[in-house]
Amino acid sequence: NITDNYIIHTGLTIGQLYGGTLRYTQGGVDSSYTYKLDYIEIPLTFKLMTNDIGQMRYWGQFGVVNSFRFKDQVILKDNTTGEVDETRDQPYGTGFYNLALQVGGGVEFNVSGRTYLVFGIIYRNGFIDQIKDNYRYPGKTFLNSLVFMTGVMF
């Protein structure tokens, strides 16, 4: 049956992107911002699967992910002294919305009946510039990520 091998996948997830650091020099001071961003994500992807090959089946997935930021924390650090100057729990020059291309693949291992162990790797490539402070950062900053996925499907 063709519907067993092709699936439209959507949902609602909480995504957390921690550790993105931008460095800049202003007035002779070497500083950096470390971002911690929380998003509500709504993916819309197509999943293509093989038929069972022994106890395994393989899959590929592609589509888009819509992300809406609901929390933004930035840590400002003086790199010369190593001291944290300030931590802000408020929107600080980052975009509210991100649209990303999602491409991935993996394998599902049949444990019993319709129960599968799922393993996969997913890459997300953001399309929208996320840093709105063009004075300090004249370039573009996009959110890209590599996700390692494990789970149980039943």
Side-chain angles (χ1 to χ4, degrees):
N1 190 352
I2 196 167
T3 58
D4 293 337
N5 296 86
Y6 302 96
I7 299 169
I8 295 175
H9 178 261
T10 190
L12 185 67
T13 61
I14 303 294
Q16 299 174 323
L17 298 171
Y18 289 169
T21 302
L22 299 174
R23 294 181 70 147
Y24 73 97
T25 301
Q26 185 177 20
V29 178
D30 181 27
S31 301
S32 64
Y33 290 158
T34 301
Y35 288 92
K36 297 181 178 182
L37 307 171
D38 293 336
Y39 285 90
I40 293 175
E41 299 174 334
I42 304 171
L44 179 58
T45 62
F46 298 100
K47 187 174 182 179
L48 313 168
M49 293 186 301
T50 65
N51 291 323
D52 287 356
I53 302 171
Q55 289 185 296
M56 295 173 48
R57 61 184 177 193
Y58 301 93
W59 56 269
Q61 188 175 31
F62 66 94
V64 295
V65 178
N66 295 286
S67 302
F68 302 91
R69 180 186 40 75
F70 68 89
K71 183 178 178 188
D72 177 1
Q73 183 183 62
V74 64
I75 300 168
L76 288 76
K77 181 179 175 184
D78 182 339
N79 293 327
T80 308
T81 64
E83 295 180 11
V84 173
D85 292 335
E86 184 178 1
T87 300
R88 297 181 184 178
D89 289 320
Q90 61 185 15
Y92 191 72
T94 58
F96 169 73
Y97 174 73
N98 187 44
L99 177 67
L101 171 69
Q102 177 171 301
V103 178
V107 64
E108 296 177 359
F109 181 76
N110 187 290
V111 178
S112 174
R114 295 190 48 87
T115 303
Y116 288 85
L117 294 176
V118 181
F119 303 96
I121 297 174
I122 297 172
Y123 175 71
R124 289 186 181 169
N125 183 43
F127 291 131
I128 300 173
D129 183 16
Q130 292 299 302
I131 303 299
K132 304 302 179 195
D133 189 348
N134 290 326
Y135 173 73
R136 290 188 186 134
Y137 306 109
K140 304 283 186 187
T141 304
F142 300 97
L143 297 178
N144 300 325
S145 61
L146 187 63
V147 177
F148 297 94
M149 184 179 91
T150 61
V152 177
M153 183 174 63
F154 48 92

